[in-house]
């Protein structure tokens, strides 16, 4: 009897997270989002010593206050993950309240695009690197793909007749991006027509990890002496589109942003333009 009772005792964190994972999968959330949410809840459990299912507002506040090194965006993101967790517990009648209501929502930082400099584009592309690395960089520069989207690119995603690349982005939404002539040439003559373009080493049926793509591109950027992150290449794509005079709605569609407010950060006046405007003042 005692043995049966012992076997029936299960860690409530494990049970809760397993059920939440299934629920999120049924909601068709991306695997990447689900895994990040689960990771943060587990991190809260390990670092606070509090079972997440039973945490109070003060437990969350103490945990967040203990991470002064977090950036504002990280704090906002982690807070949203915990809010989703407690909201699910509340909706599924696992607890009567949502402690995040008392914690409040951290102020989101005002985001600004950080594209690589125009002069750094040819500098980066002229640097010696593997052919596959160059293709990754071109997918970011000429199609605005995120690193996890690059990792999942397949030959079947390209419609060479229509000149389109079909991208599975955030929330599993699939949208098309017009193919730049350079990418069209690469898809037709250099890369496989079927399967992953960047498969996991030793496992061609699985895609490369997004972090691996980020590491590969990041190393190429550092060798070239180009400041920024792999995501800065996507920022360059949006900034270049806007600076070329394209309408903000066009840029939104090409960036595959759900809200135009996400795109509007690229319409802000740059320091270079402000300096040019002031320098152009004529008192005569």
């Amino acid at each position: 009897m005692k043995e049966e009772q012992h076997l029936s005792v299960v860690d409530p964190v494990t049970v809760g997270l397993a059920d939440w994972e299934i629920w999120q999968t049924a909601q068709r959330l991306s695997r990447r989002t689900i895994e990040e949410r689960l990771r943060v809840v587990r991190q809260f459990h390990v670092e606070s010593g509090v079972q997440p299912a039973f945490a109070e507002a003060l437990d969350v506040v103490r945990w967040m206050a203990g991470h002064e090194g977090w950036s504002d965006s990280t704090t906002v993101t982690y807070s949203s993950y915990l809010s989703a967790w407690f909201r699910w517990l509340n909706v599924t009648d696992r607890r009567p309240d949502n402690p995040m209501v008392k914690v409040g929502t951290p102020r989101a930082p005002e985001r600004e695009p950080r594209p690589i400099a125009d002069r750094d584009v040819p500098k980066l592309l002229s640097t010696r690197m593997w052919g596959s690395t160059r293709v990754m960089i071109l997918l970011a520069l000429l199609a605005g793909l995120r690193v996890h989207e690059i990792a999942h690119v397949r030959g079947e995603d390209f419609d060479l007749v229509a000149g389109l690349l079909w991208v599975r982005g955030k929330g599993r939404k699939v949208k098309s991006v017009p193919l730049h002539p350079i990418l069209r040439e690469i898809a037709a003559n250099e890369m496989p027509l079927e399967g992953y373009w960047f498969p996991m080493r030793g496992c061609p049926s699985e895609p490369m990890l997004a972090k691996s793509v980020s590491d590969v591109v990041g190393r190429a950027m550092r060798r070239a002496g180009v400041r920024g992150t792999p995501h800065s290449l996507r920022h360059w794509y949006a900034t270049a589109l806007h600076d070329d005079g394209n309408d903000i709605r066009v840029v939104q569609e090409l960036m595959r942003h759900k809200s135009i407010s996400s795109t509007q950060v690229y319409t802000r006046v740059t320091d270079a333009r402000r300096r040019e405007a002031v320098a152009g003042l004529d008192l005569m």
Side-chain angles (χ1 to χ4, degrees):
M1 183 68 177
K2 288 184 179 180
E3 183 178 356
E4 291 178 355
Q5 289 178 342
H6 175 72
L7 292 174
S8 66
V9 175
V10 183
D11 184 351
V13 174
T14 303
V15 172
L17 288 183
D19 291 347
W20 191 38
E21 181 177 2
I22 294 172
W23 186 87
Q24 292 178 95
T25 302
Q27 294 295 312
R28 295 297 186 268
L29 296 182
S30 72
R31 191 67 227 167
R32 182 166 171 263
T33 296
I34 295 173
E35 289 175 354
E36 274 298 289
R37 285 180 169 185
L38 296 174
R39 182 186 66 78
V40 170
V41 173
R42 289 192 182 102
Q43 181 179 342
F44 168 78
H45 177 217
V46 171
E47 295 180 352
S48 70
V50 178
Q51 294 286 2
F54 312 129
E56 300 297 335
L58 188 57
D59 298 321
V60 176
V61 171
R62 283 173 175 162
W63 179 63
M64 297 179 73
H67 288 279
E68 296 181 0
W70 284 350
S71 66
D72 291 343
S73 60
T74 296
T75 302
V76 170
T77 300
Y78 285 13
S79 175
S80 71
Y81 291 166
L82 288 179
S83 292
W85 161 248
F86 288 117
R87 187 165 56 249
W88 173 76
L89 290 173
N90 182 240
V91 168
T92 55
D93 297 323
R94 284 170 168 80
R95 63 178 294 163
D97 64 334
N98 182 346
M100 295 304 288
V101 173
K102 295 180 180 179
V103 174
T105 304
R107 183 176 179 180
E110 189 173 348
R111 297 186 176 183
E112 292 188 7
R114 295 183 179 180
I116 64 172
D118 288 343
R119 64 179 179 277
D120 283 339
V121 174
K123 182 179 177 182
L124 175 59
L125 293 175
S126 63
T127 300
R128 290 189 62 182
M129 65 183 77
W130 291 104
S132 58
T133 304
R134 187 179 306 279
V135 174
M136 291 177 184
I137 290 172
L138 289 172
L139 285 169
L141 289 173
L142 301 179
L145 267 59
R146 304 172 178 91
V147 291
H148 73 274
E149 295 167 346
I150 293 173
H152 286 81
V153 166
R154 299 172 60 95
E156 295 90 340
D157 297 332
F158 293 83
D159 185 337
L160 298 180
V161 176
L164 297 174
L165 166 60
W166 291 92
V167 183
R168 185 179 294 274
K170 290 184 175 180
R172 296 187 179 183
K173 293 181 179 178
V174 179
K175 290 192 175 183
S176 64
V177 176
L179 273 177
H180 188 280
I182 293 177
L183 291 178
R184 192 169 188 168
E185 180 71 17
I186 290 172
N189 301 308
E190 298 181 24
M191 301 299 285
L193 297 178
E194 297 180 353
Y196 289 111
W197 275 16
F198 314 107
M200 186 179 294
R201 182 176 298 180
C203 190
S205 63
E206 293 294 328
M208 194 174 186
L209 296 176
K211 185 179 185 306
S212 298
V213 173
S214 183
D215 290 343
V216 167
V217 175
R219 284 195 296 269
M221 293 175 70
R222 288 192 292 274
R223 284 198 304 272
V226 173
R227 298 182 63 181
T229 66
H231 202 67
S232 299
L233 305 181
R234 174 175 159 85
H235 285 187
W236 179 88
Y237 173 76
T239 303
L241 287 170
H242 181 258
D243 287 349
D244 284 345
N246 290 292
D247 182 83
I248 186 66
R249 279 287 293 117
V250 174
V251 180
Q252 179 190 2
E253 286 295 318
L254 292 173
M255 288 290 284
R256 295 166 286 114
H257 283 152
K258 181 178 180 181
S259 170
I260 199 167
S261 62
S262 299
T263 315
Q264 286 175 333
V265 297
Y266 298 96
T267 67
R268 292 174 183 162
V269 180
T270 63
D271 289 340
R273 286 188 174 182
R274 292 194 297 169
R275 286 193 292 269
E276 290 174 4
V278 172
L281 292 174
D282 189 356
L283 297 179
M284 301 299 292

